[in-house]
Amino acid sequence: MKTKVYESENKMKLDEVAISRAIVSEQSKVMLDYYDLDCAIVGAGPSGLTCAAMLGEEGLKVGVIEKKLSVGGGMWGGGMTFPRIVVQEEARRLLDHFGIKYREYESGYFVSSSVEAVAKITSAACDAGAEFFNLTYVEDVVIKGDNRISGLVINQTPIQMTGLHIDPLTLATKVTIDATGHDSVVAHLVRDKGGSVEIKGEGFMWADRAESNILSHTKEIFPGLIVTGMAANAVGGETRMGPVFGGMLLSGEKAAKLAKSALKK
Ligand code: 48H
């Protein structure tokens, strides 16, 4: 019987421990470097991803903190699991910017694959140098005497899921973006601990109104904290829009512009 040959003279032999060391060593370097950020984006849905790509393209040090294993937030599922999203004319240039294909349905409704949209915006954010911390959730903020958010308190999602009593770690950030969608988590954290943030709550479905007003709700709501995407509409007391995503992309872009000018100050 012939014995299988697994090794040849010229081929590098893979060492399991070297693989482990490579992962731990590289991630430790990234974490040490990225625990001091220009901008922390909480939530990797469409608005957070767009913001990350745009800020990264400006050469800023951006970390995206996402509590789930996968990025993309509510965009993967399109409408009621049909993996298609609609984008209106105002945001079509952003589909072009990210190289997302689309087809025009009737007049002015541009339809794209939700999977392609998540993949391409994420790819743009990675290419632009944004670093992702997935399976990590924000559980608190750092606010000191200057009454400004200067850091985020983070922990690992599996720790939250298992209810283990393990203390979190803290990272420093000059600007924080709340891109946590309907829950507007960071805004709630600040308000619930006495920060002067007013959260009006999300309204009924009214797509045209929601999409028309989202940019006016995308703003700094507390020193060092900008809200974007569905979080902006939830904080601003605005209506919802269903699976039309132009506003999410435009809001992420505006949040990036606001963060950039805040960083210049
Ligand atoms: C880390 C967290 C935490 C936390 C939550 O919901 P998202 O997709 O957010 P947006 O605003 O970019 O997009 C909204 C859109 O998907 C949507 O829901 C629309 C258009 N709805 C319209 C309608 O009428 O219903 O993504 C938010 C992300 C998610 O991935 C969360 O897991 C993450 O934020 N997140 N990450 N720490 N504490 N809380």
Side-chain angles (χ1 to χ4, degrees):
M1 196 179 107
K2 271 191 176 174
T3 324
K4 275 190 183 169
V5 179
Y6 287 104
E7 291 168 7
S8 80
E9 289 283 312
N10 306 324
K11 191 173 163 293
M12 185 189 94
K13 287 180 201 142
L14 285 172
D15 174 3
E16 296 80 2
V17 179
I19 294 168
S20 306
R21 266 203 305 266
I23 288 171
V24 173
S25 157
E26 281 307 301
Q27 186 61 12
S28 301
K29 272 189 220 146
V30 169
M31 285 166 83
L32 287 173
D33 189 19
Y34 278 77
Y35 270 38
D36 200 344
L37 293 166
D38 288 327
C39 186
I41 299 171
V42 188
S47 65
L49 287 173
T50 302
C51 186
M54 299 289 176
L55 282 172
E57 285 165 15
E58 296 289 338
L60 295 165
K61 197 203 270 188
V62 178
V64 184
I65 299 141
E66 168 53 55
K67 73 175 180 183
K68 293 194 179 144
L69 179 56
S70 63
V71 298
M75 192 147 74
W76 292 113
M80 207 187 75
T81 79
F82 299 150
R84 289 285 178 277
I85 55 165
V86 169
V87 167
Q88 63 276 48
E89 177 61 38
E90 290 81 352
R92 179 152 65 117
R93 64 183 172 78
L94 289 172
L95 294 179
D96 291 330
H97 179 84
F98 293 120
I100 301 164
K101 298 186 290 302
Y102 52 83
R103 240 197 265 273
E104 189 168 11
Y105 176 78
E106 294 185 349
S107 192
Y109 296 86
F110 299 94
V111 186
S112 297
S113 150
S114 60
V115 173
E116 180 181 345
V118 173
K120 289 196 169 159
I121 305 174
T122 306
S123 168
C126 292
D127 286 348
E131 193 59 56
F132 285 85
F133 299 93
N134 61 341
L135 279 179
T136 306
Y137 73 98
V138 171
E139 64 166 52
D140 202 354
V141 294
V142 180
I143 299 175
K144 297 186 185 173
D146 59 357
N147 199 38
R148 178 184 178 84
I149 295 188
S150 58
L152 297 177
V153 181
I154 56 170
N155 214 329
Q156 291 188 345
T157 302
I159 291 174
Q160 184 190 40
M161 291 169 83
T162 48
L164 289 168
H165 186 170
I166 298 179
D167 269 329
L169 292 175
T170 300
L171 58 78
T173 178
K174 297 187 183 83
V175 177
T176 299
I177 312 281
D178 186 344
T180 59
H182 298 269
D183 295 340
S184 48
V185 173
V186 187
H188 276 86
L189 285 171
V190 175
R191 188 203 60 183
D192 293 351
K193 291 198 170 176
S196 68
V197 166
E198 189 191 3
I199 300 174
K200 294 184 178 160
E202 190 181 299
F204 296 113
M205 178 79 86
W206 183 351
D208 190 55
R209 184 186 147 147
E211 291 286 289
S212 301
N213 293 342
I214 191 166
L215 291 185
S216 66
H217 298 299
T218 304
K219 59 185 179 191
E220 188 172 38
I221 57 162
F222 185 84
L225 176 63
I226 294 164
V227 273
T228 186
M230 208 56 226
N233 272 14
V235 168
E238 194 49 76
T239 58
R240 59 188 295 205
M241 69 295 283
V244 57
F245 279 78
M248 296 301 122
L249 308 184
L250 291 166
S251 174
E253 180 188 48
K254 181 175 178 192
K257 282 188 187 142
L258 294 174
K260 194 182 155 203
S261 54
L263 285 163
K264 277 193 186 146
K265 281 181 196 159

